[in-house]
């Protein structure tokens, strides 16, 4: 019998994507278990969400460490205790160092509020508005040592309407995120989406472009 996918989820804030994943697991939509939730901030509300569902949590406050390498080593030690199949970045506002990324190569997922490769980094909504874009969206990608630069697995988009501002765009994006992350993790758990040495395959076909999530 195939075992559930083992996940570790990294958060920094509200944890709404974490909640979406928890709900999908508890509803039976995803054959997975969250073995560990780690936050770099002790007051992240996502920790409370995790505790309400009986999940193991760990606070590894980056401000307690002399540099990124020492912090990453402590984070890796925590992750190693649960041997995750995938590490899910869900609003984790820290850049992972190259050594940590290499340690879990092809097993770290991140969700980003733009249609990558456009608008890497921060302030994606305002930048899209400033450039007069007609659509914006969400991308889920594999993490590499370069910021928001890994292979994109799944994208979903929405129209930018006349009266949209960054707050309204973020609301649209969050609706997509809360559907997309559980869907992608479900595909991984089912074996529909596989990743081998950086090559993703969906339904046994090499992924030449990101899967497009239905609006």
């Amino acid at each position: 019998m195939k075992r559930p996918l083992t996940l570790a989820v990294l958060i920094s804030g509200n944890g709404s994507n974490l909640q979406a994943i928890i709900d999908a697991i508890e509803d039976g939509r995803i054959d997975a278990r969250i073995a560990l939730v780690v936050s770099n901030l002790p007051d992240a509300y996502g920790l409370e969400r995790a505790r309400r569902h009986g999940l193991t949590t760990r606070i590894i406050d980056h401000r307690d460490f002399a540099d990124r390498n020492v912090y990453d080593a402590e984070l890796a030690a925590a992750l190693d205790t649960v041997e995750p199949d995938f590490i899910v970045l869900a609003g984790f506002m820290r850049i992972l160092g190259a050594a940590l990324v290499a340690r879990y190569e092809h097993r770290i997922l991140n969700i980003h509020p733009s249609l990558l490769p456009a608008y890497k980094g921060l302030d994606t909504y305002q930048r899209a508005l400033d450039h007069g874009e007609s659509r914006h969206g969400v991308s889920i990608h594999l993490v590499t040592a370069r910021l928001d630069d890994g292979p994109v697995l799944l994208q979903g988009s929405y129209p930018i309407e006349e009266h949209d501002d960054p707050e309204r765009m973020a609301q649209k994006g969050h609706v997509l995120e809360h559907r997309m992350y559980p869907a992608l993790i479900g595909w991984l758990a089912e074996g529909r989406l596989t990743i081998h040495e950086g090559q993703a395959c969906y339904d046994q076909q090499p992924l030449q472009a990101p899967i497009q999530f239905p609006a």
Side-chain angles (χ1 to χ4, degrees):
M1 184 175 179
K2 190 172 181 288
R3 67 173 178 82
L5 203 68
T6 299
L7 307 175
V9 183
L10 308 189
I11 62 170
S12 295
N14 182 52
S16 63
N17 273 308
L18 168 64
Q19 188 67 61
I21 296 166
I22 291 171
D23 291 345
I25 291 171
E26 292 187 349
D27 291 347
R29 288 178 281 136
I30 299 176
D31 185 18
R33 68 182 188 94
I34 299 174
L36 181 65
V37 176
V38 179
S39 175
N40 67 307
L41 296 175
D43 59 351
Y45 183 66
L47 290 168
E48 177 61 24
R49 294 180 186 270
R51 291 169 186 146
R52 288 178 183 174
H53 293 270
L55 300 178
T56 300
T57 62
R58 176 84 184 271
I59 298 165
I60 307 178
D61 192 330
H62 63 279
R63 295 166 294 190
D64 294 338
F65 296 84
D67 58 44
R68 185 187 306 279
N69 291 336
V70 179
Y71 176 82
D72 281 359
E74 183 70 14
L75 178 57
L79 293 169
D80 282 349
T81 64
V82 299
E83 299 182 344
D85 295 306
F86 287 93
I87 298 162
V88 179
L89 307 188
F92 186 63
M93 302 305 289
R94 294 283 298 168
I95 296 173
L96 300 178
L100 183 61
V101 172
R103 185 185 189 95
Y104 303 104
E105 190 174 20
H106 313 316
R107 292 193 288 147
I108 307 176
L109 303 169
N110 185 47
I111 195 161
H112 182 75
S114 81
L115 296 172
L116 292 172
Y119 306 115
K120 299 176 183 180
L122 301 175
D123 301 320
T124 67
Y125 306 117
Q126 188 60 57
R127 289 158 62 198
L129 288 170
D130 291 344
H131 282 83
E133 302 285 4
S134 61
R135 297 191 72 82
H136 199 61
V138 174
S139 301
I140 301 177
H141 66 96
L142 292 174
V143 173
T144 64
R146 298 178 64 181
L147 180 66
D148 300 328
D149 198 55
V152 179
L153 305 174
L154 179 63
Q155 287 187 325
S157 69
Y158 55 83
I160 300 176
E161 297 170 302
E162 182 179 356
H163 299 294
D164 276 350
D165 58 16
E167 182 177 348
R168 284 191 287 267
M169 290 171 65
Q171 291 171 352
K172 293 180 183 180
H174 290 156
V175 170
L176 266 178
E177 289 178 17
H178 299 162
R179 296 169 58 208
M180 287 172 58
Y181 236 160
L184 183 133
I185 293 168
W187 296 336
L188 289 168
E190 294 166 4
R192 291 189 66 189
L193 179 63
T194 59
I195 301 163
H196 180 66
E197 296 184 353
Q199 174 62 62
C201 292
Y202 183 64
D203 288 342
Q204 302 182 336
Q205 297 299 315
L207 205 60
Q208 304 296 340
I211 303 164
Q212 295 302 305
F213 193 76

